Amino acid sequence: MASSLVSLSLSLPSSSSLSHTRLNNTTIRCSSSNSNLSENQQQQVNLQAMNPPPPPPPRPRRIILVRHGESEGNLDESVYTRIADPKISLTKKGIAQAEESGIEIRKMIERDGIPNWKVYFYVSPYRRTRQTLRGLGRAFDRSRIAGFREEPRLREQDFGNFQDREKMRHEKTLRTLYGRFFFRFPNGESAADVYDRITGFRETLKSDIDVGRFQPPGERNTGMNLVIVSHGLTLRVFLMRWYKWTVEQFEGLNNFGNGKMIVMEKGYGGRYSLLVHHSEEELRKFGLTDDMLTDQDWQKYAKPGQLNYDCPTLSAFFPHLDEECATVP
């Protein structure tokens, strides 16, 4: 064994020689890499250093969710048996509600004291929501409207084309027994189906916010406000998706009235919270529980990208955690 080790050591270069060889090889490779960088990329590196990318655009100040004004279907459900849901119009009262909503939104924005404030609209393609947009839009001069987009994913829950009144009453009774979120109307949708398409819209909206699609390149308007004109259930599902509410929490929510709004306003850290604009009492009437309000208070101060590690709904999924807390002296 000793002789084999001796012969092996004699066949290898000395440690100093080996180190020198590796060092030389490394030096050569690094020199080659640096040479390529200086020839092909150094100019771009220098330009990037001289012209760093601009900071991200400011996030809109608010996301305002508006339910359409009173429609013919809200007044008389038999309308759904003879008029296609997307073609149902507002009543005179609904038009007035839309105009009042626009005035209320404008006054709310003006109280910010930002001179160059603007609004950008997303609207469901249904007739009653487009009429609502037209009504509330009367409150704004052309210079205040940054733009609008008709968004099919914001449409009403599909109840199955023309509706048979008696059959629909029966289906709604079944929905109460089965569960409002998962029950799917024949030839129509469940709230869970609406959740899936609203998830896609949320990603589009988030992308629009991240790139500042609401204003011309280079502008940094801190007074931008987004208005989403849609339907009662769709807007509740939007909030559920945005704030990651559970199915049980969703089913405890109440529809807000025709022409009414819920305001998601930017808090101190940059995230959107319902507690910035609304009082706790208002949100309890809407259906928020103690856990949901606790989370909204966290949203009020947190920054985008942060996670709430003290998730207030933990005990709903892990009851033993409550027991552990009770045993802590």
Side-chain angles (χ1 to χ4, degrees), residues 144-161:
R144 297 297 187 180
I145 300 175
F148 80 97
R149 182 185 303 172
E150 183 178 279
E151 177 51 73
R153 289 172 292 185
L154 290 172
R155 69 188 183 275
E156 174 64 293
Q157 179 182 4
D158 189 348
F159 292 100
N161 303 322

Side-chain angles (χ1 to χ4, degrees), residues 72 83-90 125-128 130-131:
E72 295 170 343
I83 301 177
D85 197 0
K87 297 180 180 179
I88 290 176
S89 300
L90 293 182
Y126 280 30
R127 179 174 293 169
R128 57 188 179 272
R130 290 188 289 111
Q131 288 177 326

Side-chain angles (χ1 to χ4, degrees), residues 80-136:
Y80 294 104
T81 66
R82 60 182 183 272
I83 301 177
D85 197 0
K87 297 180 180 179
I88 290 176
S89 300
L90 293 182
T91 63
K92 289 183 179 180
K93 180 180 179 180
I95 293 173
Q97 288 172 335
E99 293 176 354
E100 290 169 5
S101 179
I103 294 171
E104 185 178 352
I105 291 172
R106 189 196 69 213
K107 289 180 177 179
M108 175 178 58
I109 296 173
E110 287 176 338
R111 286 194 292 268
D112 295 336
I114 300 176
N116 61 334
W117 62 265
K118 290 182 181 293
V119 287
Y120 188 99
F121 299 97
Y122 294 88
V123 62
S124 156
Y126 280 30
R127 179 174 293 169
R128 57 188 179 272
T129 43
R130 290 188 289 111
Q131 288 177 326
T132 300
L133 174 62
R134 193 174 300 126
L136 65 84

